[in-house]
Amino acid sequence: MAMETQEPGDGRTDSIGPWAARAADPQYRAAVLDLLGALAYGELSAFERLAEDAKFAPGITEKAALARMASAEYQHFQLLHDRLAEVGADPVAVMEPFVEPLENFHRMTAPSDWLEGLVKAYVGDAIATDFYREVAVRLDDDTRELVLRVMSDTGHAGFAVERVRQAIAEDPRVGGRLALWGRRLMGEALSQAQRVVAERDALSNLLVGGAQVRGFDLVEVGKMFNRITETHTKRMAALGLAS
Amino acid sequence: MAMETQEPGDGRTDSIGPWAARAADPQYRAAVLDLLGALAYGELSAFERLAEDAKFAPGITEKAALARMASAEYQHFQLLHDRLAEVGADPVAVMEPFVEPLENFHRMTAPSDWLEGLVKAYVGDAIATDFYREVAVRLDDDTRELVLRVMSDTGHAGFAVERVRQAIAEDPRVGGRLALWGRRLMGEALSQAQRVVAERDALSNLLVGGAQVRGFDLVEVGKMFNRITETHTKRMAALGLAS
């Protein structure tokens, strides 16, 4: 895969103004509703899968750690849901188009044991943070503030790193298996994301070019995915996993 | 089953003093640690099962409602866990004796569909509240405040009532099936509670007689279970289910 050296956005950007001013543009409004709907259902399905993966936890401490992450995802869902209602959208209708891609992703990446669950929790949390950072720079002030608030509360998955490293130290073959698993997680995430991009024009335009860019730019989408993939690769290496 | 007309405690009682004063009695301390351990693991396992039952939800709204309840249970777990650590106990060790009875309960009462899941969420929430109310009157001021705080935040299951009533109205046979289910839930809860009572003397003494009563009093335990059963019976009737 071609390497893309451009740095991901750092969350700072020139303001494009408050929501109230931008939302007058129906295409911008549609794009932000799509984004919030995708994020909201993403959080709800992440809650559900983390909670389900808690069944693999080897002890109470580990079960509680996954439950804490799941609970944080639910809080994010609530914030995003309430914001959708606040701007006059029907949260359920807005989330609907993203149910199938997200359920597909989780169905294709159901962990078969505790370590796969840990890697998925860690990788999923990290990819979500990268995506939030990418998208935040293209948003109006109010939506950006919400997205950054949800993002600032992630990172609960740090506990996974030590456990995974320890498991690899005890049995190096585990590393090979989990490296394959990490690749599969990223592959399935990209596959479902490509599908969403293909089907949701307004959202795609927002993701790649900000509200100003009307034209659908596949090259820009590819660059964003490359940046996220590159960060994922570095992260897997830090975890002791070749990706 | 013999009816017991005594009213459940209303949460008001003469103070037996603060935790710091009472905890000098090793039997009282052991009993409260048992109680907090049982409640904490109860909340963690309730979180896990509610989250798992969310898979039956017929739509996003219902899934989100179960996720909200599960998330509230996790918050309760966190409060109880932190309190155990605060008084110098090892939370995991204190929870350990209650893992098997609670896992048994959930294994024996795994819902087979959405309506059974709803009734379980509603009944479980309500029985927990009844139990908190019973036990609060026997506690030192600090522990009582914690228990009442956890209790005040329950009641998320109210949304279940309307759904269950509607399902029965649409198909009265559903009522018969769910009435049986309600009986089974209460039966399994009592069965596991009896086992805990038999194995945990200090906790049992606290539950039935307060710190003053040293003797194990099976009659008092039976009366408490009868009060909770009676309240359950009234609740099922209000839901349109003969129990």
Side-chain angles (χ1 to χ4, degrees):
Chain A
M1 186 175 284
M3 280 294 150
E4 167 56 51
T5 53
Q6 185 180 343
E7 287 301 306
D10 59 3
R12 286 170 304 170
T13 184
D14 293 338
S15 171
I16 62 165
W19 164 257
R22 304 291 323 167
D25 172 358
Q27 192 170 359
Y28 182 81
R29 180 182 163 88
V32 168
L33 294 190
D34 256 16
L35 175 69
L36 297 181
L39 295 182
Y41 197 77
E43 297 286 2
L44 187 59
S45 66
F47 161 86
E48 199 178 358
R49 298 315 163 127
L50 282 170
E52 195 181 330
D53 296 347
K55 72 181 173 221
F56 293 125
I60 296 173
T61 305
E62 293 83 0
K63 196 186 285 285
L66 274 204
R68 184 175 66 240
M69 289 183 65
S71 187
E73 309 287 11
Y74 174 76
Q75 309 297 330
H76 302 162
F77 163 77
Q78 189 70 60
L79 283 172
L80 294 159
H81 174 281
D82 291 352
R83 175 63 179 165
L84 283 166
E86 190 188 339
V87 300
D90 172 353
V92 169
V94 169
M95 283 184 260
E96 203 65 64
F98 306 102
V99 170
E100 204 182 321
L102 281 156
E103 294 297 325
N104 279 345
F105 171 72
H106 287 297
R107 191 163 42 241
M108 301 297 283
T109 60
S112 63
D113 63 16
W114 171 240
L115 286 173
E116 288 189 1
L118 274 189
V119 170
K120 182 173 172 180
Y122 172 67
V123 166
D125 202 54
I127 293 177
T129 302
D130 291 343
F131 179 74
Y132 287 160
R133 191 178 288 126
E134 283 280 343
V135 81
V137 298
R138 305 171 194 281
L139 296 169
D140 64 88
D141 301 343
D142 302 287
T143 308
R144 185 171 62 243
E145 192 185 333
L146 172 63
V147 166
L148 292 177
R149 183 173 163 199
V150 167
M151 186 183 93
S152 72
D153 192 32
T154 60
H156 296 282
F159 83 99
V161 174
E162 194 49 47
R163 312 279 172 138
V164 172
R165 282 217 183 99
Q166 191 183 331
I168 296 172
E170 286 169 9
D171 179 0
R173 286 169 306 178
V174 165
R177 179 165 71 84
L178 293 180
L180 277 174
W181 175 243
R183 269 202 288 280
R184 180 151 154 222
L185 290 170
M186 192 69 210
E188 292 292 345
L190 287 174
S191 161
Q192 297 302 328
Q194 300 275 15
R195 185 175 152 194
V196 168
V197 162
E199 288 177 2
R200 311 296 299 180
D201 279 356
L203 176 60
S204 304
N205 285 337
L206 176 76
L207 291 182
V208 299
Q212 281 72 26
V213 179
R214 301 290 186 195
F216 179 79
D217 187 338
L218 202 58
V219 175
E220 282 301 322
V221 174
K223 283 182 182 173
M224 185 183 81
F225 285 166
N226 276 359
R227 285 193 296 274
I228 292 178
T229 303
E230 191 179 4
T231 311
H232 168 74
T233 305
K234 287 178 187 162
R235 195 181 297 122
M236 297 306 287
L239 198 57
L241 301 176
S243 66
Chain B
M1 188 176 281
M3 279 295 151
E4 166 57 53
T5 55
Q6 186 180 339
E7 287 301 307
D10 58 3
R12 287 171 303 170
T13 183
D14 293 337
S15 171
I16 61 165
W19 163 257
R22 303 293 321 169
D25 172 357
Q27 192 169 1
Y28 182 80
R29 180 181 162 88
V32 168
L33 294 190
D34 257 14
L35 176 69
L36 297 181
L39 295 182
Y41 197 78
E43 298 286 3
L44 187 59
S45 65
F47 160 86
E48 199 177 359
R49 300 314 164 129
L50 283 170
E52 194 180 331
D53 296 348
K55 71 181 174 220
F56 293 125
I60 296 175
T61 305
E62 293 83 0
K63 196 186 286 283
L66 274 204
R68 185 175 66 240
M69 290 182 63
S71 187
E73 308 288 12
Y74 174 76
Q75 309 298 331
H76 302 163
F77 163 78
Q78 189 70 59
L79 282 172
L80 294 159
H81 174 281
D82 290 353
R83 175 63 179 163
L84 283 166
E86 189 188 340
V87 300
D90 171 354
V92 169
V94 169
M95 283 184 258
E96 204 64 65
F98 306 102
V99 170
E100 203 182 322
L102 282 156
E103 294 298 325
N104 279 344
F105 171 73
H106 286 298
R107 191 162 42 238
M108 300 297 283
T109 59
S112 63
D113 64 15
W114 170 240
L115 286 173
E116 288 189 0
L118 273 190
V119 170
K120 182 172 173 181
Y122 173 68
V123 165
D125 201 52
I127 293 177
T129 302
D130 291 343
F131 178 74
Y132 287 159
R133 191 179 287 125
E134 283 280 344
V135 81
V137 298
R138 304 171 197 282
L139 296 169
D140 64 89
D141 301 343
D142 302 286
T143 308
R144 185 171 64 244
E145 192 185 331
L146 172 62
V147 166
L148 293 177
R149 183 173 162 200
V150 168
M151 186 183 93
S152 71
D153 192 32
T154 60
H156 296 282
F159 82 99
V161 173
E162 194 49 46
R163 313 277 172 138
V164 172
R165 281 217 184 99
Q166 191 184 331
I168 296 172
E170 286 168 10
D171 180 0
R173 285 170 306 178
V174 166
R177 178 166 70 85
L178 293 179
L180 277 175
W181 175 244
R183 268 203 289 282
R184 180 152 152 222
L185 289 171
M186 192 70 209
E188 292 292 345
L190 287 174
S191 163
Q192 297 302 328
Q194 299 276 13
R195 185 176 152 194
V196 168
V197 162
E199 288 177 2
R200 311 296 298 179
D201 278 357
L203 175 60
S204 305
N205 285 336
L206 175 77
L207 291 182
V208 299
Q212 281 72 26
V213 178
R214 302 289 186 194
F216 180 79
D217 188 338
L218 201 57
V219 175
E220 282 300 323
V221 175
K223 283 182 180 173
M224 186 185 80
F225 285 166
N226 278 356
R227 285 192 297 274
I228 292 178
T229 303
E230 192 178 3
T231 311
H232 168 74
T233 305
K234 288 177 185 162
R235 195 180 297 123
M236 297 306 287
L239 198 57
L241 302 176
S243 67

